[in-house]
């Protein structure tokens, strides 16, 4: 049985009392409230006409169970919610996981990530891991991921560890790679820049390599 695709909701607009659209939506809601099967499709149509071309804010993407208020109308692309507690409407763009990841990548990874909710934070991280890994492999295509410091006997291997969002630096033993240090990847920077950052920190953390005149990769 095919797994049902998850739908996420990128907030396009928060519509509050005093906004030019609020009265229109409120009149639609009040005019149909109390009917046995109220139909808010006209309210959704009005909201789409005003705000439907906006881009969702990437730090305000939610899973379905975390949208603000109750979904009162939706179609294939949009959803309109109303919060009786806050007395406001919210218009959302419905997104699949691929669209969510694309939005996070386009926005960048500033301040160690933009997503607020834990569920979205994990999807955000996965997007950057999936984007970074092939770039790492391309960077080292045809060469060994080795760093060596001239005038020393220090030779270390580098390894990208997506599950830790880190570049590991260490040696190779008879049982394989053994990490000595791990440095967090900053996905706002390129593979080359992240490697330089990691090697610089490694040199600072290990006095035995500080005598080198330069770094050779």
């Amino acid at each position: 049985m095919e797994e049902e695709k998850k739908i996420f909701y990128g907030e396009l607009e928060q519509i509050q009392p005093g906004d030019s659209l609020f009265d229109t939506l409120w009149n639609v809601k009040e005019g149909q409230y109390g009917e046995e099967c109220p139909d808010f499709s006209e309210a959704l149509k009005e909201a789409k006409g005003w705000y439907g071309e906006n881009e969702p804010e990437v730090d305000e993407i939610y899973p379905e169970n975390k949208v603000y208020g109750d979904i009162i109308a939706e179609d294939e692309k949009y959803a309109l919610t109303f919060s009786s507690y806050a007395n406001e409407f919210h218009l959302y763009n419905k997104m699949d996981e691929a669209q969510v990841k694309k939005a996070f990548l386009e926005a960048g990874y500033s301040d160690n990530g933009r997503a607020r909710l834990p569920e979205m934070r994990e999807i955000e991280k996965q997007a950057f891991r999936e984007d970074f890994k092939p770039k790492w492999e391309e960077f080292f295509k045809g060469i060994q991921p080795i760093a060596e410091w001239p005038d020393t006997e220090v030779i270390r291997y580098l390894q990208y560890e997506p599950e830790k969002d880190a570049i590991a630096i260490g040696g190779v033993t008879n049982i394989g790679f053994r990490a000595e240090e791990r440095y967090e990847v900053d996905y706002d920077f390129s593979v080359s820049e992240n490697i330089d950052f990691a090697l610089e920190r490694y040199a600072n953390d290990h006095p035995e390599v500080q005598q080198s005149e330069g770094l050779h990769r």
Side-chain angles (χ1 to χ4, degrees), residues 25-41:
L25 296 182
W26 182 260
N27 290 336
V28 172
K29 188 187 87 67
E30 287 297 287
Q32 297 172 340
Y33 206 78
E35 293 182 13
E36 186 174 346
C37 297
D39 178 10
F40 297 120
S41 58

Side-chain angles (χ1 to χ4, degrees), residues 41-61:
S41 58
E42 286 301 313
L44 176 61
K45 185 177 178 180
E46 288 282 350
K48 284 164 53 178
W50 282 68
Y51 297 113
E53 297 303 316
N54 289 4
E55 289 294 325
E57 293 289 338
V58 295
D59 60 346
E60 299 290 358
I61 299 177

